[in-house]
Amino acid sequence: MRFPDRTSSTKIRLKMNTTIVKAYGVEELGERVKELTVSRREVTAKDIEIEILFCGVCHSDMHHVHGDWGKEKYPLVPGHEIVGRVTKVGKEVTKLAVGDLAGVGCLVDSCQTCDSCKKDLEQYCLNGSTVTYGGKDKHSGEHTFGGYSEKVVVDEHFVLKIPANLNLAAVAPLLCAGITTWSPLRHWKVGPNSKVAVIGLGGLGHMAIKLAKGLGAEVTLFSRSPNKEQDAFDLGADAVIISTDESQMNSVSSKFDLIIDTVPYIHDVNPYVSTLSIDGTLVLVGYLGGLDPILNTVPMIMGRKSVAGSLIGGLAETQEMLDFCGEHNIVSEIEMIEMQDINEAYQRMLKSDVKYRFVIDIASLKK
Ligand code: NAP
Ligand code: ZN
């Protein structure tokens, strides 16, 4: 059995040494993100210890800090777009060696025995995957802490290899924004004959454009922000539709095979469903919760159209995406910040004023 039962895990918890590391996070709801310390478990046989060099800032980090998704475990240390260098490996580790570059995304553990895990869909682990922050560490019994910190210790199965030719800081956002958009592109078999649309030009949206273009698709951006039009073309979009302009929306009626909706907050999905082709799918990756106004089934039934959802991606698929990015020279467009600037970065993210992903230089945490 891979993980010890409750009794033995208690024994391990008592024996387990931990290292105290500097981090940034919150100790209760409503706080500004601030410096604190957390502990990292010692490296077990299958673990890799990574000195974190850069960490991307996902809109999900802000949802957690703001309590948008319900009760959190505190202290909460966000960050699930982690890249760094291996500093220690357990005795059974084969994937990476000390000195190698390494990445960690949104998952740090799963049962690895259920049907989902066996199909490389660890994100849908039927026994509950362990997320990078706010999950339960099966080894230490503590909850998990994310990448706004100096170090992380992760089972090698959940550590990714980083293509050496890419700018390391600009790779960090691939670990969440990249895989979250890559997974639906692959699942719905996007290729050179596909017509793809992306809703929202932010962290996920800009990666969706780059990856869909990389797969050879024709790509359209739906945005509320006319000032982002030129950027969208520069990122590779073939067309931009301003979603508040009804005549522009009508011009793309029944056009798209796949729409990736990255909007983080409640919004009307119905106008976008009308732009799906017969058999087209709109996949929600941004907003979690009930829709308002309600979803009108008429265009879905009349055109065999689907509205679906998708959560990040499995480990094999994440490695596939990273390798694809290495081959096609695809990285995120980033704005580097210091750890101390994180609260201002969140404020800018709320105003959709990010071009197109903040990445924290973790060296600033050590100041
Ligand atoms: P982001 O960088 O803030 O980008 C979101 C974009 O959506 C904005 O740039 C804006 O684009 C548009 N937008 C924002 N508020 C809107 C509103 N009220 N109505 C309509 N459009 C709006 O966020 P992100 O990091 O890409 O994350 C997007 C969402 O995906 C978040 O909710 C995040 O939690 C979620 N997420 C999900 C997964 C998953 O596995 N499913 C993984 C990672 C993140 P325009 O200015 O172009 O309109
Ligand atoms: Zn994320």
Side-chain angles (χ1 to χ4, degrees), residues 69 264-269 284 287-295:
W69 290 340
Y265 299 101
I266 196 159
H267 60 289
D268 188 1
V269 171
L284 290 154
Y287 170 67
L288 278 177
L291 291 173
D292 185 24
I294 57 172
L295 194 57

Side-chain angles (χ1 to χ4, degrees), residues 58 60 80-81 106 176 357:
C58 181
S60 307
H80 55 207
E81 294 183 337
C106 305
C176 174
R357 197 59 142 189

Side-chain angles (χ1 to χ4, degrees), residues 332-350:
S332 173
E333 301 300 309
I334 63 164
E335 183 176 338
M336 191 87 81
I337 59 167
E338 305 220 320
M339 190 68 260
Q340 295 75 7
D341 299 330
I342 188 66
N343 293 294
E344 288 65 39
Y346 284 176
Q347 287 311 308
R348 282 186 49 195
M349 200 182 244
L350 269 179

Side-chain angles (χ1 to χ4, degrees), residues 119-132:
K119 289 186 211 151
D120 292 326
L121 296 169
E122 296 90 345
Q123 73 275 33
Y124 305 120
C125 174
L126 298 173
N127 294 307
S129 55
T130 305
V131 286
T132 303

Side-chain angles (χ1 to χ4, degrees), residues 57-63 69 80 106 176-177 180 199-205 221-225 227-228 243 261-267 272 284-288 310-313 349-350 352-354 356-357:
V57 179
C58 181
H59 203 107
S60 307
D61 298 348
M62 192 169 65
H63 283 310
W69 290 340
H80 55 207
C106 305
C176 174
T180 302
I199 312 177
L201 189 57
L204 268 56
L221 171 73
F222 285 112
S223 175
R224 309 161 303 168
S225 312
N227 61 326
K228 292 184 184 174
S243 51
D261 182 338
T262 76
V263 174
Y265 299 101
I266 196 159
H267 60 289
Y272 300 105
L284 290 154
V285 295
Y287 170 67
L288 278 177
S310 184
L311 177 69
I312 44 173
M349 200 182 244
L350 269 179
S352 300
D353 174 24
V354 190
Y356 275 91
R357 197 59 142 189

Side-chain angles (χ1 to χ4, degrees), residues 14-84:
L14 292 175
K15 278 198 289 186
M16 189 163 246
N17 291 325
T18 53
T19 310
I20 303 293
V21 297
K22 256 196 209 177
Y24 256 62
V26 290
E27 288 176 303
E28 57 184 77
L29 183 62
E31 263 188 6
R32 281 168 66 82
V33 181
K34 62 178 188 192
E35 188 174 324
L36 38 83
T37 56
V38 294
S39 60
R40 295 293 186 192
R41 68 171 186 251
E42 72 182 287
V43 170
T44 66
K46 289 276 192 192
D47 279 342
I48 296 181
E49 181 192 80
I50 300 163
E51 180 196 11
I52 302 174
L53 298 174
F54 302 103
C55 184
V57 179
C58 181
H59 203 107
S60 307
D61 298 348
M62 192 169 65
H63 283 310
H64 282 285
V65 168
H66 290 173
D68 292 345
W69 290 340
K71 208 167 176 314
E72 298 285 346
K73 297 186 183 110
Y74 297 101
L76 164 66
V77 174
H80 55 207
E81 294 183 337
I82 299 168
V83 289

